[in-house]
Amino acid sequence: MNINDNRDTYLHKGMRKKLVEAIAKRGIINKTVLEAINQVPRHLYFFDSVFLEKAYEDKAFPIGEEQTISQPYTVAYQTSLLEIKKGEKILEVGTGSGYQASVLAQMGAKVYTIERQKKLFEKTKPMLADLGYATIKCFYGDGFAGLPTFAPFDKIVVTAAAPFIPEQLLKQLKINGWLVIPVGENVQSMKRITRVSELNWTEEVFADFKFVPMLTGKSS
Ligand code: SAH
């Protein structure tokens, strides 16, 4: 994506480059992931101009409704585990600011994203279109149910702490598809589930993270 106006200046690009270097230092080696982070103008996602520096710190940041925009390192980590290829159909649970969805779209994925908080959904959907990510399809609903109408997906990513692995999401994966999901209560272990056949799934376990909780039902 290219922002053709003065909202993305050399100053912002320079800050982004430093952020990418910091993430790479922490062990993210996937070049396409780093390049996507280098392209997406994070400062335009719910960051007031007063908080410009915060946009390019490797930290989570409040976006209202008691939610946060994920830490860039965490976004890079989950995106690396997804090994996105152009044209893949991806479901994201927990749209939030739309930042993770934009990184996936920047890599050429066809992104479907679902958010349970109505206010966030209503704020993020037009903002993504305004930023040039009009291909991202936003839905208001409960991610535990996934998006059965649009299934199956090549890959699914959950960006909130899941108390358990939702069965509906497992069923909405293509065969050989992946679900990347942080599972646990206080601390979550990042898991990557592979659907190896119609009725069989295998699991890999990665590092520990801290996410806001995945909650059931919709909130108005
Ligand atoms: N991917 C987001 C991270 C947002 S934090 C980003 O890049 O900014 C996690 C988000 O998951 C919150 O917005 C929260 O409201 C949402 N969420 C929590 N439980 C959910 C559920 N069951 N279905 C859909 N969204 C959910």
Side-chain angles (χ1 to χ4, degrees):
M1 195 218 28
N2 259 322
I3 297 220
N4 294 323
D5 58 35
N6 58 10
R7 290 183 297 173
D8 194 30
T9 66
Y10 281 105
L11 169 72
H12 302 118
K13 289 183 171 79
M15 289 170 93
R16 231 163 26 240
K17 194 160 171 271
K18 288 212 175 96
L19 171 66
V20 168
E21 284 163 9
I23 294 171
K25 253 197 193 142
R26 286 191 66 183
I28 301 295
I29 52 166
N30 185 318
K31 288 248 158 53
T32 40
V33 172
L34 294 174
E35 187 46 34
I37 293 196
N38 197 35
Q39 296 293 328
V40 179
R42 195 169 194 270
H43 65 286
L44 296 175
Y45 293 71
F46 298 158
F47 288 91
D48 200 289
S49 57
V50 181
F51 296 121
L52 177 63
E53 266 75 36
K54 303 280 176 206
Y56 292 112
E57 281 175 8
D58 188 16
K59 285 185 183 155
F61 192 79
I63 57 171
E65 314 306 318
E66 294 177 5
Q67 301 306 324
T68 56
I69 178 170
S70 298
Q71 184 178 352
Y73 173 74
T74 307
V75 171
Y77 192 97
Q78 288 197 286
T79 311
S80 296
L81 286 182
L82 287 167
E83 293 181 15
I84 298 296
K85 293 179 198 78
K86 276 203 176 92
E88 279 182 334
K89 193 170 150 191
I90 312 291
L91 171 64
E92 179 200 25
V93 172
T95 313
S97 68
Y99 178 67
Q100 168 76 78
S102 301
V103 169
L104 295 169
Q106 185 70 44
M107 295 173 78
K110 285 186 221 146
V111 184
Y112 295 73
T113 181
I114 181 165
E115 171 58 55
R116 68 178 288 281
Q117 294 242 17
K118 197 166 195 183
K119 282 191 188 136
L120 278 179
F121 164 77
E122 283 172 349
K123 223 164 148 182
T124 300
K125 190 179 151 88
M127 191 193 69
L128 288 175
D130 177 52
L131 289 177
Y133 295 108
T135 58
I136 298 173
K137 294 185 177 65
C138 296
F139 298 84
Y140 166 52
D142 180 2
F144 277 98
L147 277 181
T149 325
F150 297 92
F153 297 94
D154 291 297
K155 287 154 189 175
I156 300 177
V157 58
V158 175
T159 65
F164 54 85
I165 296 169
E167 202 183 328
Q168 291 310 314
L169 298 184
L170 292 175
K171 288 186 179 159
Q172 290 173 30
L173 285 173
K174 286 186 187 168
I175 306 293
N176 294 322
W178 282 341
L179 166 64
V180 170
I181 181 168
V183 188
E185 285 185 9
N186 295 329
V187 175
Q188 297 83 45
S189 34
M190 193 65 76
K191 295 191 172 181
R192 183 167 64 188
I193 317 291
T194 306
R195 184 174 198 176
V196 288
S197 68
E198 194 59 32
L199 293 174
N200 289 284
W201 291 263
T202 56
E203 177 181 301
E204 298 164 274
V205 183
F206 298 92
D208 285 349
F209 287 88
K210 259 184 173 298
F211 284 77
V212 296
M214 183 177 182
L215 303 170
T216 48
K218 290 192 274 188
S219 147
S220 51

